[in-house]
Amino acid sequence: MLNLERLRTLDALARHGSVSGAAAGLHVTTSAVSQQMAKLEREVGQRLLARNGRGIRLTDAGRLLADHAARILSQVELAQADIEAQRGEVVGEILLAAFPTAARGLFPAVLGALCADHPELRVRTRELEPEDGIRGVLRGDIDLAVALDWSNKRLPVPGGLTRVELLDDTPDIAMPAGHPLADRTEVDLEEFADDEWVSWPEGEFCHDWLVFTLRSKGFEPRIAHLVGEHHTQLALIAAGVGVCVAPRLGRGPVPDGVRLVPVRQRMRRHVHAVWRTGAERRPSVRATVDALRTAARELGEASA
């Protein structure tokens, strides 16, 4: 009899490609992963892992069993979802992730509604960048993620996941009050070719989007500051050190000395919820998606 947790460990190894990655995804130690795999190899009577330089790779038998493990775990999840659906009660636990401005802009209303309407549901939240959130959903570490992409740079959603649009967010350009363009009603990105920019950290999806977008306007951006938190970005703008893209979702109070000006050719962030296909059978997932949609709709009505 194959052990389900050992199959889960093999599936994590196949997804992450390393013992350390699998351990991080499963929230266990690397030694625990190695022990589970040693036991699984004894159960099947074949080597499932082989050394590959300083790392590991799956053998042919390991890859074959990993393919079966992925299907088995998917069926187990569907079975759990069907059992929850038959009960029809919004109970248990759900892990919800979102990128920071969505967490700030949506989570208070969503968590308040779920707490009031479904007191037996325990919701845990986590801030994750869009790509990390989607990977977490794909691995099964997260039940539902709020992610984003841009109108000119889409973020692929892998097979096996379902996506529903929540809202469109139209950012502005934030600049010091003394900037030559601060009194304009609209600006073009090309007009900031000589400015220094405050950007998200390198490697994040929005940083890559900013570099891609500004290069498409015909100039190489002069990125002077890398900051992950939007309030910190705006504080730097207030200090007069550059300009930045300022999303409206979750924006909050704008510091004195900062001016926000729309871009003539509108930039749009598409905000969406992502979950594993079939998980919507779970009442807890359906209730959370409904709460996200309601919060997003109310935000749109308030800004209209």
Side-chain angles (χ1 to χ4, degrees):
M1 178 73 70
L2 293 173
N3 179 280
L4 189 61
E5 286 309 308
R6 288 166 201 153
L7 291 179
R8 198 180 303 279
T9 301
L10 177 62
D11 179 66
L13 275 168
R15 290 182 184 276
H16 292 277
S18 69
V19 172
S20 60
L26 295 170
H27 305 290
V28 300
T29 64
T30 54
S31 62
V33 170
S34 298
Q35 290 170 14
Q36 289 281 52
M37 290 306 303
K39 291 176 181 178
L40 185 58
E41 286 184 332
R42 287 197 295 271
E43 286 177 350
V44 300
Q46 294 191 63
R47 292 291 301 276
L48 302 176
L49 300 178
R51 291 196 176 278
N52 184 26
R54 299 179 64 181
I56 57 97
R57 63 173 177 82
L58 295 180
T59 64
D60 290 344
R63 176 58 60 188
L64 176 65
L65 186 56
D67 291 342
H68 283 290
R71 291 192 291 270
I72 290 168
L73 294 170
S74 176
Q75 285 300 121
V76 169
E77 183 173 5
L78 288 175
Q80 292 172 331
D82 284 344
I83 289 296
E84 282 191 37
Q86 188 179 48
R87 287 168 57 188
E89 298 174 357
V90 182
V91 297
E93 180 177 279
I94 189 165
L95 180 53
L96 175 62
F99 58 94
T101 52
R104 188 183 311 122
L106 294 174
F107 276 6
V110 169
L111 297 183
L114 290 174
C115 182
D117 297 339
H118 309 290
E120 298 301 314
L121 177 65
R122 181 184 177 221
V123 184
R124 294 190 295 128
T125 62
R126 183 179 301 169
E127 278 192 3
L128 288 176
E129 291 301 317
E131 291 170 306
D132 294 331
I134 288 175
R135 280 194 292 266
V137 173
L138 190 62
R139 292 195 303 262
D141 302 334
I142 295 166
D143 296 302
L144 194 150
V146 180
L148 67 87
D149 56 19
W150 296 80
S151 52
N152 64 333
K153 189 174 178 65
R154 305 310 297 256
L155 181 64
V157 174
L161 301 185
T162 296
R163 173 169 67 181
V164 62
E165 300 296 326
L166 296 175
L167 59 90
D168 279 353
D169 185 32
T170 304
D172 302 306
I173 299 298
M175 66 194 77
H179 193 282
L181 303 177
D183 294 329
R184 293 268 295 275
T185 57
E186 288 184 324
V187 291
D188 292 311
L189 290 176
E190 296 90 329
E191 296 178 278
F192 297 96
D194 295 327
D195 284 272
E196 291 190 336
W197 286 81
V198 180
S199 174
W200 298 268
E202 290 180 351
E204 290 189 6
F205 180 71
C206 287
H207 173 85
D208 295 342
W209 164 81
L210 180 63
V211 173
F212 168 81
T213 299
L214 297 182
R215 285 175 177 169
S216 73
K217 298 299 180 179
F219 67 94
E220 185 66 24
R222 298 169 57 200
I223 296 176
H225 307 282
L226 300 174
V227 179
E229 221 287 328
H230 283 276
H231 284 197
T232 306
Q233 291 184 3
L234 292 177
L236 293 180
I237 303 306
V241 301
V243 300
C244 75
V245 174
R248 297 178 185 179
L249 175 63
R251 178 181 288 169
V254 177
D256 292 338
V258 174
R259 296 291 181 269
L260 300 168
V261 182
V263 178
R264 182 172 289 106
Q265 293 181 328
R266 292 286 186 262
M267 305 179 294
R268 295 192 184 278
R269 301 197 308 173
H270 305 300
V271 180
H272 47 265
V274 179
W275 62 88
R276 292 183 295 282
T277 300
E280 67 274 8
R281 302 183 193 184
R282 295 172 54 192
S284 57
V285 172
R286 291 202 305 272
T288 304
V289 172
D290 288 344
L292 283 166
R293 281 173 157 165
T294 298
R297 183 175 62 253
E298 290 175 350
L299 270 180
E301 292 171 352
S303 62

